[in-house]
Amino acid sequence: MPPIPAPVSRLSAPASTAPIAPPVSKRRLSRALDRVLDSALTRALAHPHAPDDYLEALSPMWTRRRIHAQVLARRNQTPGTLTLELRPNAAWPGFCAGQHLQIALDVNGVRQQRCFSPANAASERDRIELTLRLGAEGGFTDTLSREAQVGRILALEPAQGEFVLGATPPEHLLLIAGGSGITPLLSMLRTLLAQGHRGRIDLLQYAPQARERLYARELDALAAQHSNLSLYPVYTRGSGGAARGHLDAAQLQGLVPEAYAAQTYVCGPAALQQQAQALWQAAGAQERLAVEAFSAPAPARSDEAGQLRLARSALDLPSDGRPILEQAESAGLQPAHGCRMGICASCRCRKLDGQVRDLQTGRLSGAGAEDIRICVSAPVGPVTLDL
Amino acid sequence: MSLPTTDTRPSEATLESLGRELDAIRDRVLADLGPTDARYIRRLLRRQRRLELGGRALLFAGIFPPAWLAGTAALAAAKILDNMEVGHNVMHGQYDWMNDPALSSRHFDWDTACPGRQWQHSHNYMHHTFTNVQEVDRDIGYGVLRMSEEQPWRVKDLGNPLWATLLAVFFQYGVALHDVEVERVRDGRKSPREALAVLRGVWRKTRRQTLKDYLLFPLLAGPFFLPVLLGNATANLARNLWAYTIIFCGHFPDGTEQFHKSVLEDESRGHWYYRQLLGSANIEGGRLFHIFSGHLSHQIEHHLFPMLPAWRYAQIGPEVRAVCEAHGLRYNSGPLSRQFGSVVRRIFALALPGRGERRVRGLPAPAAATPATTALPEAA
């Protein structure tokens, strides 16, 4: 499952994929526990630490605010991918189909975070299913694969993202998935079908070849069960699918002639996203297209001149155009950071004055004091940071 | 234990090679930081929290003397670990590289009266940068004690042993109030407004600490209010005495030096190392002793490399010692009894005017011509 940078388009408010709650008695018990363990009294007793600090020392699964999840099962669906089934603790607030969560993991002792989209129905409150592509993310997924043995407890950050279904599911939904980009789309699909949604759903699923198609069995079974779901496997390098080769106008016309009229969600490699955006733009249907990026575009380098002043560290550096986080690290500092792709805001830092360029959107910031994400910002002119 | 009586500052070449060799040790450890360090501190933190929970739970059964004793001991041990091996070291930024908010020097606070962010200023900056420089490093005597012969004797210094005892008993408050810098307010070098802001921060923290240990936990124990209250007070006292003992052994045993302000002008890296080395003293002991002292028993290594995870000091200690000895510099290390004994003797000796053996390095000429070298009478 892919890491996902900031959502590219916003369709509407998060969907009404209201999670089906666990039994009432269990929920009540959990709420009562929350009231006790998160009360002002408990916090006063734990001072200056947090109640979760003590609960975590007993068992990470007992924390009330910090989300932890235990690995229940793991399997390799295809070569090069790993599917994990997780049981989250009571702190997990659930997610909307299409959103992504973050896993925090020590890689060589350094805590890193990466985004992954659950593939299961959002109505399943006490289960999270993730599929990740191995070898991606500079060793993160490899470390995760090694560490995430059955029984192991992982630290998560809440789900977020605006790549979600609208409040009312569309009459005609088109999902276009490339590789492990299937996961958020599968979650949408499973969530809608579990709700008894009867509208038309078309799924174009891209994979290099048949044996690399993720969730093949599950999707085939869903398509057989639900007459409103049409599944089109497309293999870019192999035969046997509904079509062969990368997405283009003719292929789309052949598979789903009404594509541009459908509400469309795309998640996959950069090339697939760009192709979809070009097609939908040409058809004047961009407003019906939502794209979740497959891999983080490496934060570009700015070629603007800049001067970086780190007030707290008393450092003054000429900017080399890289993100401020990287420049500060090169200067020997250790700023807090998370995803390093502009999503999680763990690296949020106070800019005291000066302007920065957002390397992902190209947007120029204001000149005053404000919080910026230093992993995707580069100085434009002199910039002073509280770092 | 005798040192040259005049200001024998090593040559620039010696200082330079000292700096280079110590830098090399630091760089090697920095390059090696990784999962082992992460595992160490996480495991320690987990055990510390469990110990605290266990101690507090036992104290609820504190009506039975063995439970009270065990609970109080566990709570005292947990507070010591929280303050020293976890709090002191995490707030130094020794584990910032792990990028874990729970172990970040920007977020962590410890179970004492002193607010973490405030302590970071007085300790990490003032004390560690200007270690043992008179009038700048306020850890010299904490503004209360006469710890050096260069400090002019005043009548109140007759009470040196008494003040020291009070400071030890109320050490957490001493540390907290340290940053108010009363004497600088008195001299008009610090505005009362600034001092008041510090006091407010201390009060906010102290109020919550007091509420927790002396009201909420005892109340929660219902009929066992008193045993819990006494247990908590004893644990806090034990932590205060222990922290005081370890910390005073860091800079005041026989053989440690203090410096005149003038050394700070254009100080080289090598001389900075030299000053840290001469101003610090180690305490010898076992692995557990080092952990419970927050590895401040390796005060020399800590002052040379305050950013390195403290548990590494034990590892590099022999190398640091070898480098020092190769340069003919003293590596001050001894058992707790000897180091603390000499601290106590100094506190008594300096209660009287003009006594003590403290020498100050780096006095500008001609004032440096006669640094005090009076031998300290063994029985003070």
Side-chain angles (χ1 to χ4, degrees):
Chain A
M1 163 147 7
I4 299 151
V8 176
S9 92
R10 172 197 298 230
L11 270 185
S12 58
S16 63
T17 47
I20 296 168
V24 173
S25 58
K26 197 179 155 193
R27 205 174 60 213
R28 262 202 206 132
L29 184 70
S30 174
R31 281 222 199 105
L33 258 177
D34 263 340
R35 266 201 297 278
V36 173
L37 292 172
D38 220 15
S39 65
L41 174 66
T42 314
R43 272 181 282 128
L45 292 172
H47 177 83
H49 307 304
D52 265 2
D53 289 329
Y54 293 94
L55 294 168
E56 192 169 344
L58 296 174
S59 162
M61 291 300 279
W62 290 0
T63 52
R64 309 307 292 186
R65 288 195 176 195
R66 278 172 222 153
I67 305 167
H68 290 101
Q70 189 164 32
V71 179
L72 290 186
R74 51 180 285 153
R75 67 192 166 111
N76 297 95
Q77 292 192 51
T78 64
T81 69
L82 172 67
T83 300
L84 296 173
E85 191 181 332
L86 309 177
R87 181 174 63 88
N89 69 355
W92 172 242
F95 67 101
C96 290
Q99 285 189 315
H100 51 82
L101 53 79
Q102 292 185 68
I103 296 181
L105 192 70
D106 280 1
V107 179
N108 289 323
V110 180
R111 176 150 292 209
Q112 298 189 8
Q113 288 157 276
R114 292 292 185 273
C115 297
F116 302 95
S117 307
N120 54 310
S123 47
E124 294 178 310
R125 273 301 291 259
D126 39 20
R127 207 178 144 258
I128 298 172
E129 181 185 315
L130 304 174
T131 294
L132 44 114
R133 192 163 55 93
L134 300 177
E137 290 307 294
F140 186 92
T141 52
D142 289 334
T143 307
L144 180 59
S145 158
R146 218 173 25 249
E147 302 262 317
Q149 299 301 328
V150 172
R152 166 74 196 243
I153 295 171
L154 301 169
L156 309 186
E157 295 288 332
Q160 54 176 4
E162 287 156 350
F163 186 72
V164 292
L165 293 165
T168 20
E171 266 313 296
H172 181 192
L173 179 66
L174 171 59
L175 306 172
I176 303 179
S180 56
I182 184 67
T183 51
L185 304 178
L186 179 58
S187 176
M188 291 180 182
L189 185 63
R190 283 170 159 172
T191 305
L192 287 175
L193 294 177
Q195 282 173 353
H197 175 69
R198 302 294 307 150
R200 174 178 168 189
I201 305 175
D202 293 310
L203 170 60
L204 266 64
Q205 189 187 12
Y206 288 82
Q209 44 195 327
R211 67 186 185 91
E212 284 171 89
R213 183 160 74 96
L214 286 164
Y215 290 102
R217 213 161 359 109
E218 291 87 340
L219 284 167
D220 291 345
L222 281 175
Q225 259 170 43
H226 298 272
S227 56
N228 56 329
L229 171 63
S230 308
L231 174 62
Y232 304 101
V234 184
Y235 300 122
T236 52
R237 289 204 304 265
S239 54
R244 184 177 174 142
H246 294 281
L247 172 69
D248 61 30
Q251 189 189 71
L252 188 63
Q253 177 66 28
L255 294 174
V256 187
E258 311 83 354
Y260 302 120
Q263 194 62 264
T264 304
Y265 290 80
V266 179
C267 183
L272 178 67
Q273 299 162 40
Q274 283 155 11
Q275 176 67 350
Q277 272 162 332
L279 289 174
W280 260 254
Q281 195 151 15
Q286 307 96 296
E287 79 277 7
R288 285 189 291 281
L289 179 72
V291 175
E292 183 81 301
F294 180 83
S295 56
R301 188 185 260 264
S302 150
D303 49 12
E304 289 157 306
Q307 187 74 16
L308 197 51
R309 294 182 182 144
L310 307 178
R312 199 187 287 254
S313 325
L315 276 178
D316 205 341
L317 317 159
S319 168
D320 59 13
R322 286 180 301 154
I324 293 169
L325 174 62
E326 290 179 24
Q327 298 197 49
E329 285 174 339
S330 301
L333 304 187
Q334 294 157 345
H337 62 269
C339 65
R340 307 182 77 98
M341 56 175 94
I343 298 173
C344 69
S346 303
C347 66
R348 190 173 39 220
C349 175
R350 194 79 180 157
K351 169 169 73 69
L352 301 172
D353 63 49
Q355 284 185 297
V356 295
R357 174 87 59 199
D358 184 322
L359 293 171
Q360 284 182 328
T361 64
R363 203 180 63 84
L364 193 63
S365 77
E370 62 181 328
D371 285 340
I372 59 167
R373 295 165 301 163
I374 57 174
C375 69
V376 290
S377 302
V380 178
V383 171
T384 311
L385 288 170
D386 182 25
L387 192 70
Chain B
M1 197 172 301
S2 67
L3 273 164
T5 52
T6 48
D7 191 3
T8 53
R9 178 180 170 135
S11 70
E12 277 310 315
T14 305
L15 288 177
E16 201 176 301
S17 101
L18 175 75
R20 220 175 24 244
E21 285 169 40
L22 290 176
D23 277 348
I25 294 178
R26 178 200 59 194
D27 293 346
R28 220 194 44 237
V29 177
L30 279 178
D32 189 46
L33 293 184
T36 327
D37 303 86
R39 249 195 318 276
Y40 171 80
I41 192 66
R42 290 235 163 84
R43 186 182 300 169
L44 187 100
L45 189 60
R46 197 161 55 236
R47 288 183 179 166
Q48 183 278 328
R49 302 247 152 95
R50 288 180 180 174
L51 195 62
E52 182 178 345
L53 286 172
R56 296 209 186 264
L58 276 169
L59 274 175
F60 276 25
I63 197 76
F64 307 107
W68 187 88
L69 274 175
T72 303
L75 185 58
K79 279 177 179 275
I80 285 169
L81 287 176
D82 172 282
N83 289 184
M84 305 191 77
E85 182 66 343
V86 182
H88 171 270
N89 294 333
V90 165
M91 294 198 303
H92 253 291
Q94 291 176 0
Y95 298 95
D96 280 359
W97 57 273
M98 285 173 60
N99 191 38
D100 182 347
L103 293 165
S104 149
S105 63
R106 291 185 70 173
H107 301 116
F108 195 90
D109 202 358
W110 51 4
D111 183 12
T112 92
C114 185
R117 300 295 81 75
Q118 174 197 313
W119 174 83
Q120 280 174 321
H121 171 76
S122 68
H123 181 84
N124 289 359
Y125 176 55
M126 296 303 286
H127 170 59
H128 270 274
T129 316
F130 307 115
T131 310
N132 277 20
V133 175
Q134 293 185 343
E135 297 172 48
V136 185
D137 177 9
R138 301 185 58 266
D139 276 23
I140 301 181
Y142 279 69
V144 183
L145 304 183
R146 182 164 183 252
M147 293 306 292
S148 140
E149 176 158 273
E150 298 306 305
Q151 285 171 267
W153 182 87
R154 283 175 292 184
V155 179
K156 65 113 182 131
D157 293 330
L158 282 174
N160 229 23
L162 176 65
W163 311 141
T165 310
L166 286 174
L167 180 61
V169 169
F170 298 104
F171 194 57
Q172 63 165 331
Y173 304 106
V175 171
L177 293 173
H178 190 39
D179 216 28
V180 180
E181 304 185 315
V182 179
E183 77 285 354
R184 292 189 61 216
V185 178
R186 202 174 44 215
D187 302 350
R189 282 181 295 157
K190 181 173 183 165
S191 77
R193 186 195 293 266
E194 262 179 284
L196 206 65
V198 176
L199 266 179
R200 267 201 213 99
V202 171
W203 169 240
R204 264 198 304 277
K205 178 93 191 272
T206 305
R207 198 180 50 199
R208 302 193 62 177
Q209 291 290 109
T210 311
L211 186 74
K212 169 181 77 167
D213 276 341
Y214 299 127
L215 192 67
L216 294 180
F217 271 113
L219 276 178
L220 216 58
F224 309 127
F225 184 96
L226 213 57
V228 171
L229 178 81
L230 283 176
N232 290 353
T234 310
N236 277 329
L237 174 66
R239 183 270 323 272
N240 284 354
L241 295 176
W242 178 254
Y244 170 91
T245 307
I246 296 299
I247 288 162
F248 268 65
C249 282
H251 299 295
F252 307 118
D254 280 351
T256 53
E257 308 272 336
Q258 291 178 11
F259 295 82
H260 188 268
K261 269 198 289 197
S262 61
V263 303
L264 294 176
E265 285 164 28
D266 290 328
E267 188 176 33
S268 67
R269 182 77 183 148
H271 189 272
W272 184 86
Y273 273 135
Y274 167 74
R275 174 158 59 80
Q276 301 297 339
L277 175 67
L278 261 61
S280 310
N282 281 4
I283 317 168
E284 288 157 8
R287 189 176 131 80
L288 215 55
F289 170 78
H290 290 311
I291 291 174
F292 273 89
S293 74
H295 288 90
L296 293 181
S297 45
H298 286 285
Q299 191 75 232
I300 295 175
E301 286 74 22
H302 175 56
H303 265 267
L304 295 174
F305 314 115
M307 296 296 289
L308 295 185
W311 75 283
R312 295 273 194 163
Y313 298 154
Q315 226 173 48
I316 57 175
E319 291 169 67
V320 172
R321 181 171 204 149
V323 167
C324 296
E325 284 168 358
H327 288 86
L329 298 169
R330 180 172 169 201
Y331 183 90
N332 188 341
S333 182
L336 182 64
S337 54
R338 189 173 86 208
Q339 303 292 55
F340 194 62
S342 71
V343 172
V344 171
R345 273 197 306 279
R346 177 179 312 288
I347 288 169
F348 273 89
L350 289 171
L352 301 174
R355 297 169 71 94
E357 62 159 0
R358 190 58 125 194
R359 271 152 297 117
V360 178
R361 296 241 168 188
L363 280 176
T370 53
T373 53
T374 329
L376 178 75
E378 271 310 301

